[in-house]
Amino acid sequence: MSTSTVSSPPTPTLSPGSDSLQAGAQRGRILLCLLTLYLVWGSTYLGIRFVLQGGMPPFLTAGARFLTAGALLFGALWLKGAPVPTAKQWGACAVVGAMLLGVGNGGVVYGQQTVPSGVAALVVGSLPMWSALFGGLFGQWPGKLERWGLALGFGGIILLNLGTELGGRVLPMLMLMVAPMSWALGSVLGRRMSLPQGLMAPAAQMLCGGALMLTFGLLRGEHLSAIPEPRALGAFVYLVTFGSLLGYSAYAYLMRHASPSLATSYAYVNPVVAVLLGVIFAGETMSPMAWVAMAAILGAVVLLTRKR
């Protein structure tokens, strides 16, 4: 083996203009991911409703959804040569996948068996509050502008929720309330765990979370009693491709490059999208208070995104 030394090329220095271009590119990616979550995840509530109404069992369907999306993404990354997660990284992905998907998404799916999609989106709208709380407990308290945005958005959620008739649906509402708490805590913990790089992290999390929900569904005795309706099958395909592959990958990017409050700000917009889709496809009506609430929610998003 030769012992001759080769001089290293000089390390390139980035000009202020280059730094600005990189910052602008990352800002653009963050905004694109936010827009994806605002629109796509807001529509998934209606998709879940169609799936459940079409005769597909909740946890088996949710498990199959994330297992399918995770397998597709994992396979594509593996074929491109992406490194397979280590045992430690698989463990971290199992924890995050269980909290975000198993309890977080699983609670939403269970609740939507009896609670309308718009109401489910309203309850999950508390997510940024829990995210800010858990983030603060780990040393990342939101700034002044973010606190105003959180307060305004939470006020909008309260206005949207006024007058909602929930009846005696205690367990579904309890599951819906626990879901955003688990999602927020899992997101904060995920920032401090050894996760795979890039899109391999959401792929592994979807595989772990999907397997957990599928197993839970089998233990509950869930099964397909008949062939699902075409609308339900179409909604399932939409949830796999847009809700999971596109949406969850965008969320994973935000959790690495944005503050918890900004990354979870989609929870303020999702109820708006869910309610509008209910008006268009389910014949629901909107009160004047709902329009005021939506204005407050959009104002909150402006305050949260200005921070970045």
Side-chain angles (χ1 to χ4, degrees), residues 134-223:
F134 291 131
L137 294 177
F138 285 92
Q140 191 177 0
W141 289 105
K144 182 178 179 180
L145 196 62
E146 286 181 306
R147 289 196 295 268
W148 278 108
L150 290 169
L152 184 60
F154 193 62
I157 294 297
I158 293 175
L159 289 177
L160 270 178
N161 222 357
L162 288 177
T164 300
E165 295 295 334
L166 299 176
R169 302 161 184 166
V170 178
L171 184 57
M173 283 301 301
L174 181 61
M175 293 290 290
L176 284 172
M177 292 176 64
V178 172
M181 295 172 59
S182 178
W183 187 285
L185 181 57
S187 298
V188 173
L189 291 177
R191 288 171 168 264
R192 291 159 176 80
M193 291 182 172
S194 176
L195 296 175
Q197 293 296 316
L199 292 177
M200 187 60 78
Q205 291 167 22
M206 286 191 287
L207 285 173
C208 294
L212 176 64
M213 283 191 284
L214 192 67
T215 302
F216 185 68
L218 291 173
L219 292 176
R220 291 183 75 233
E222 293 183 358
H223 62 279

Side-chain angles (χ1 to χ4, degrees), residues 122 149 152-158 160 265-272 290-304:
L122 302 182
L152 184 60
F154 193 62
I157 294 297
I158 293 175
L160 270 178
S265 64
Y266 67 88
Y268 286 148
V269 185
N270 287 173
V272 179
W291 290 105
V292 175
M294 290 187 183
I297 291 170
L298 294 178
V301 174
V302 172
L303 291 177
L304 288 168

Side-chain angles (χ1 to χ4, degrees), residues 198-199 201-202 205 247-257:
L199 292 177
Q205 291 167 22
Y248 197 71
S249 298
Y251 182 72
Y253 179 86
L254 287 175
M255 289 310 300
R256 289 181 178 270
H257 299 91

